[in-house]
Amino acid sequence: MTRQIKTFIIIELCIIVALLFHIMKSPYFLLLLAFAISFSVLSKKIIFLRPVSVVLWIFFAVMLLTAGWFWLALLFPILVGISFWKKQSGTSSSFNYSQNYAESSEKLTRANGNDVIDLYDVNFRPEGNSLSIKKSAGNTKIIVPEDVAIALEITVHNGIVKIFDEETEINPKNFRYFSEMKEESQKRIRINIQVYTGNIEVVKG
């Protein structure tokens, strides 16, 4: 369990405890709760008491809605979930290519998000490797070790492409780059990138 999840659970428990104290401190809450529970138990034997039990629980729910702690306990998980989703979709993430390659998957497809791809982690094959990246929005950074030869095919509708010390390309369509293929190079990879909105940077690592 991560530290963030533990912190969330502790805060949520504190809010719930505060809500319980708020209920216990109010005699109206306790009295209505006692009546609701009592009539619920009695309604199992006396049928005509069921409507009364339902009404009491409705009144208790209405009173509960007036408590600020109740709304805080309800909204806090929602706000945390939204914040977590935005953080996951907007911040940089490291793409573990070697793990995906082990699963025979050489494609990275996602709606949006930033990615850092370090080719140092790739398990290179003698015949060469290939990787396809496709997403709607987000920046992509590729780190290329000195002993790796790459062939790039890039399409970006809104963004810039910077490859090593080459001239920056703006909104390139079907842009291609081939590094020097040395005969002694044992590590070769072909990368196809399609991004609608985002920047692409290729650097030496």
Side-chain angles (χ1 to χ4, degrees), residues 118-129:
D118 192 344
L119 297 183
Y120 178 82
D121 298 325
V122 175
N123 182 20
F124 284 95
R125 296 177 295 183
E127 64 272 21
N129 295 54

Side-chain angles (χ1 to χ4, degrees), residues 21 41 67-68 74 103 110 133 135 142 148 171 177 180 201:
F21 272 112
V41 174
L74 184 66
E103 297 173 356
R110 59 193 299 181
I133 303 171
K135 56 186 174 181
I142 300 176
V148 174
N171 302 335
Y177 172 88
E180 184 179 354
E201 182 184 11

Side-chain angles (χ1 to χ4, degrees), residues 144-161:
V144 184
E146 292 289 344
D147 60 341
V148 174
I150 62 170
L152 297 170
E153 297 181 11
I154 300 173
T155 295
V156 177
H157 294 276
N158 296 294
I160 62 174
V161 174

Side-chain angles (χ1 to χ4, degrees), residues 14-130:
C14 290
I15 295 174
I16 293 174
V17 170
L19 175 61
L20 293 175
F21 272 112
H22 177 76
I23 293 174
M24 294 175 63
K25 191 170 62 174
S26 173
Y28 298 105
F29 264 118
L30 292 177
L31 186 61
L32 189 57
L33 180 60
F35 274 116
I37 294 175
S38 300
F39 275 87
S40 296
V41 174
L42 292 173
S43 65
K44 294 180 179 180
K45 297 180 179 180
I46 307 173
I47 299 178
F48 68 86
L49 291 179
R50 290 181 180 178
V52 179
S53 173
V54 172
V55 171
L56 289 173
W57 281 113
I58 291 175
F59 274 110
F60 179 77
V62 171
M63 290 187 65
L64 195 62
L65 291 175
T66 63
W69 288 110
F70 171 79
W71 289 106
L72 186 59
L74 184 66
L75 294 176
F76 179 69
I78 298 175
L79 295 176
V80 171
I82 294 174
S83 176
F84 178 78
W85 177 81
K86 288 184 176 180
K87 183 177 179 181
Q88 287 296 104
S89 62
T91 57
S92 298
S93 61
S94 179
F95 177 62
N96 191 339
Y97 181 91
S98 59
Q99 178 180 352
N100 282 266
Y101 175 75
E103 297 173 356
S104 300
S105 174
E106 297 175 309
K107 293 184 179 181
L108 171 60
T109 303
R110 59 193 299 181
N112 54 66
N114 301 331
D115 296 285
V116 177
I117 302 173
D118 192 344
L119 297 183
Y120 178 82
D121 298 325
V122 175
N123 182 20
F124 284 95
R125 296 177 295 183
E127 64 272 21
N129 295 54
S130 64

